[in-house]
Amino acid sequence: MWIADQWKDYRLLDSAGGEKLEYWGDILLRRPDPQAIWTEKSEKALWEKTDAWYHRSNSGGGHWQYFNKKMPPFWSIHYRNLTFNIKPMGFKHTGLFPEQAVNWDWFSDLIKNANRPIRVLNLFAYTGGATVAALEAGAEVVHVDASKGMVTWAKENVVASGLGDRPVRYIVDDVVKFVLREERRGRTYDAIIMDPPSYGRGPGGEVWKIEDELYPLILNCMKILSDNPLFFLINSYTTGLSACILENVLTYTMKKRYGGKVACDEIGLPMLSNGLVLPCGISGRWEGGSR
C-alpha cells in the first residue's frame, strides 16, 4: 500500500463504525467512511468534540451539523509548500483528498528529474490537487473538469499556492469530448493524470460509467501522448474495481506500446491513534523508461 504519511496540517485521528475523525488544520471533522467497518474507537473522547459532523441520510445525501460557532466557512491547509482551500461541501467532502499526496510526491519527482519540459493533462481534475503539485514541480498543466465551480476552486488553490504565474489552462468540458478534440488539433502531452468517477454526467448531459468508458478513454488518451511520455496515473474510488484491474489495463495499453513499468496498489492514510492504515482507493501508475 502507498501511504500518504507526510502531512502536517492534515491528521487522521481515528476511524470506526463507518466514520472517520480528522483534523484539517485546527478544524476537527467527523465524516462517513464506508471502509471503516470495525467498531473499536481509539480516541473516544475526541469523537464528541468535533467542530462539525456530517450525518448521512438513509434516503441519500445528508447534512452537516456544526458545533463550533466560530468555525470559518472555509480555511486553508498546507502540504509541503502547497496550499489548499478547504470547506465542508454538501456531500461530506471538503474539496481535497489528502491520500493523493502520495501520488503528488511520486509524479513531482518524475517531473523535476525529467530534464525536459513536461506538459501534463489532468482529467476529472476536481479542485486541482494534482494540478497544483504538477505546476509546483515545473510542468505545464491543462486542467479539465465538467464542473465550473470545481475549476474555479482549482484556480483559487493555484493562486493560494503562489503559482498563479505558472503555465496552466483551465477547461470546463466533458473529458471524453475534450480528449477527442485535442487529437484532432494535434496537441500532445507528456503525462496524463485521471481521477474518473464511478458514474457522472458531463456539462451537456453526457453519461459516464467507469466500467464502460475507462478503457476506451485510455486508448484515446494514448493518441495524444508525445513520443516519449513520462507517466500515466489513474486513480479510482470505485467499489469493486481492484488494483489488479488497473494493472491489467495499463499493461495492455501503456506498457505494451511504450515499455516502462506498471505499479498498482491501494492508497491509504495512517491513523494516529492506533498505527493502523485506512484504505482510501486505488492508484495505477505507469512510468516510462529512458529512451
Side-chain angles (χ1 to χ4, degrees):
M1 179 181 284
W2 295 318
I3 301 173
D5 57 3
Q6 299 301 305
W7 279 97
K8 293 181 173 60
D9 277 8
Y10 171 86
R11 291 164 288 160
L12 174 61
L13 299 183
D14 201 5
S15 64
E19 293 183 302
K20 56 189 173 184
L21 189 65
E22 316 156 290
Y23 265 118
W24 295 81
D26 295 328
I27 305 297
L28 185 59
L29 300 182
R30 181 173 176 175
R31 298 192 295 153
D33 194 303
Q35 298 290 338
I37 64 171
W38 45 91
T39 59
E40 291 77 14
K41 293 180 178 178
S42 302
E43 295 281 356
K44 294 181 180 179
L46 281 176
W47 282 89
E48 306 305 322
K49 296 181 179 180
T50 56
D51 294 296
W53 182 4
Y54 186 88
H55 298 273
R56 176 167 282 165
S57 170
N58 292 331
S59 58
H63 70 279
W64 286 95
Q65 181 182 9
Y66 294 95
F67 302 99
N68 181 358
K69 294 181 179 180
K70 296 182 180 180
M71 180 176 163
F74 64 90
W75 64 98
S76 296
I77 67 170
H78 307 278
Y79 182 74
R80 302 193 189 280
N81 56 338
L82 308 178
T83 299
F84 303 102
N85 294 323
I86 303 299
K87 62 181 176 181
M89 299 168 64
F91 185 68
K92 82 173 183 178
H93 296 302
T94 62
L96 191 69
F97 294 94
E99 62 273 10
Q100 287 298 329
V102 72
N103 284 321
W104 304 339
D105 289 344
W106 169 73
F107 67 66
S108 291
D109 285 343
L110 292 177
I111 292 169
K112 290 175 181 178
N113 294 318
N115 298 315
R116 57 187 171 101
I118 299 296
R119 177 185 292 159
V120 175
L121 178 60
N122 188 11
L123 302 174
F124 309 100
Y126 194 51
T127 60
T131 293
V132 173
L135 286 173
E136 193 276 334
E140 173 188 348
V141 180
V142 175
H143 174 109
V144 185
D145 197 277
S147 168
K148 183 178 180 180
M150 294 301 103
V151 172
T152 298
W153 196 336
K155 293 179 182 179
E156 295 169 354
N157 284 334
V158 168
V159 171
S161 295
L163 302 171
D165 60 343
R166 298 294 177 95
V168 56
R169 292 172 58 214
Y170 302 99
I171 308 293
V172 180
D173 202 354
D174 174 72
V175 162
V176 175
K177 290 183 177 181
F178 177 80
V179 169
L180 294 175
R181 281 200 301 273
E182 290 292 87
E183 180 190 359
R184 293 194 294 269
R185 294 173 182 134
R187 284 181 60 87
T188 60
Y189 296 87
D190 304 295
I192 293 179
I193 300 166
M194 65 171 67
D195 194 350
S198 302
Y199 178 86
R201 290 187 179 274
E206 304 87 352
V207 175
W208 166 275
K209 295 175 68 175
I210 194 169
E211 62 268 30
D212 298 330
E213 305 294 342
L214 178 60
Y215 196 78
L217 176 60
I218 295 170
L219 293 176
N220 285 324
C221 283
M222 291 174 66
K223 297 175 184 177
I224 59 173
L225 284 172
S226 62
D227 293 335
N228 186 18
L230 183 64
F231 69 86
F232 202 119
L233 172 65
I234 305 172
N235 297 304
S236 176
Y237 294 88
T238 301
T239 303
L241 192 66
S242 71
C244 183
I245 291 175
L246 292 187
E247 181 173 2
N248 292 345
V249 166
L250 288 171
T251 299
Y252 277 127
T253 54
M254 294 299 297
K255 187 174 182 179
K256 182 177 180 181
R257 177 175 298 182
Y258 296 103
K261 59 184 180 181
V262 173
C264 301
D265 210 336
E266 289 184 279
I267 54 177
L269 290 164
M271 288 185 280
L272 300 185
S273 61
N274 52 31
L276 300 178
V277 175
L278 179 67
C280 303
I282 58 173
S283 291
R285 302 170 175 176
W286 173 86
E287 179 181 336
S290 58
R291 300 178 66 188

